[in-house]
Amino acid sequence: MAEYRERASRLDRAVVWSRTVPAHTGPVTVFPDGCMDLIWTEGTLMVAGPDSRAFLTPTARASEFVGIRFAPGTAPALLGIPAVELLNQRVDLTELAPSRTTRELVDRVDNAPDRVGALEAIALRFAAEKGPADPALTAIVDSLSAGATVAETAAETGLSARMLHRRSLSAFGYGPKMLARILRFQRALAAVRTGIPAARIAATTGFADQAHLSREFRDLAGCSVRALQPR
């Protein structure tokens, strides 16, 4: 049986997690959340870019995964690459950093008694070298997470519509409208998993109606709302 654990990271707004997967387990579905992850798996470090749709992660080659999930907008500054260049991709860290540096980081996690802690320490080092996250990006995420429109978010953050879109592509991988859709989807997904009726979820999480909710789940999750409800 697969086992998944997570906890809040010492890195602000990040989460560290681990997953063990038995042999012969099928792909793991990852739903879009606006985040990026740094993931270790059996001798490899990879970066999971932001997703705009459900992503099927193959598990046949590995049984242990450790990751740190960066809050939307924070990973590109730490890794030195615009999020839009990693949209819907999983990329080996050697493509983004010198191979010698990457090898040293992989060895550090490979040989650590606490791999979660080792990977978290790497992320904290990146953050110390790059400095704090841009507060404007945090403000964008917080505004859209609260249900504000793109126009309201632009006004709240003092950005023009063009600048908001440009900064969003670099920081999140897509424009603010798509990010708002994904954050709304995540609010709805959390409610779906508690068993709340779909009609009530649609009314309380910003959807026009239940049909709108269903369409968004088909588009972003690749399945129906019912398929994700507890049984």
Side-chain angles (χ1 to χ4, degrees):
M1 183 177 182
E3 180 180 358
Y4 176 83
R5 295 180 180 179
E6 68 173 42
R7 64 167 172 80
S9 172
R10 290 180 289 150
L11 180 64
D12 188 37
R13 298 165 72 99
V15 171
V16 289
W17 56 268
S18 63
R19 184 189 297 274
T20 55
V21 182
H24 311 299
T25 299
V28 174
T29 303
V30 178
F31 296 119
D33 58 7
C35 300
M36 292 174 59
D37 291 59
L38 178 63
I39 303 171
W40 171 92
T41 176
E42 299 184 5
T44 301
L45 276 172
M46 72 179 80
V47 177
D51 294 320
S52 63
R53 57 183 181 272
F55 187 93
L56 295 179
T57 302
T59 59
R61 293 182 301 139
S63 60
E64 182 182 3
F65 299 82
V66 171
I68 180 162
R69 183 176 306 117
F70 301 102
T74 58
L78 299 183
L79 301 174
I81 185 169
V84 69
E85 295 187 18
L86 299 177
L87 181 62
N88 296 321
Q89 296 186 61
R90 294 336 186 232
V91 177
D92 195 293
L93 189 61
T94 55
E95 297 184 31
L96 308 177
S99 57
R100 180 177 178 179
T101 300
T102 300
R103 185 70 257 167
E104 291 173 352
L105 296 178
V106 169
D107 288 344
R108 188 175 306 172
V109 183
D110 279 351
N111 298 315
D114 175 10
R115 290 183 174 131
V116 171
L119 189 63
E120 183 179 31
I122 290 171
L124 288 167
R125 193 186 83 181
F126 286 171
E129 293 172 349
K130 300 296 184 179
D134 185 342
L137 300 178
T138 301
I140 292 170
V141 175
D142 289 346
S143 178
L144 294 175
S145 293
T149 66
V150 172
E152 290 168 342
T153 298
E156 288 175 12
T157 55
L159 298 171
S160 68
R162 173 180 284 185
M163 182 58 71
L164 175 60
H165 187 78
R166 184 182 304 161
R167 297 205 66 183
S168 294
L169 287 177
S170 178
F172 311 120
Y174 19 64
K177 186 175 182 180
M178 185 66 184
L179 178 61
R181 286 180 62 198
I182 287 171
L183 295 174
R184 181 180 61 193
F185 162 76
Q186 280 291 326
R187 294 195 300 272
L189 178 60
V192 165
R193 285 171 165 165
T194 67
I196 297 174
R200 190 190 309 170
I201 294 171
T204 57
T205 54
F207 293 88
D209 50 31
Q210 187 173 342
H212 182 204
L213 172 73
S214 297
R215 288 195 301 272
E216 287 291 87
F217 267 67
R218 287 288 184 188
D219 191 27
L220 297 176
C223 63
S224 67
V225 174
R226 179 176 296 180
L228 298 175
Q229 290 174 322
R231 298 178 182 180

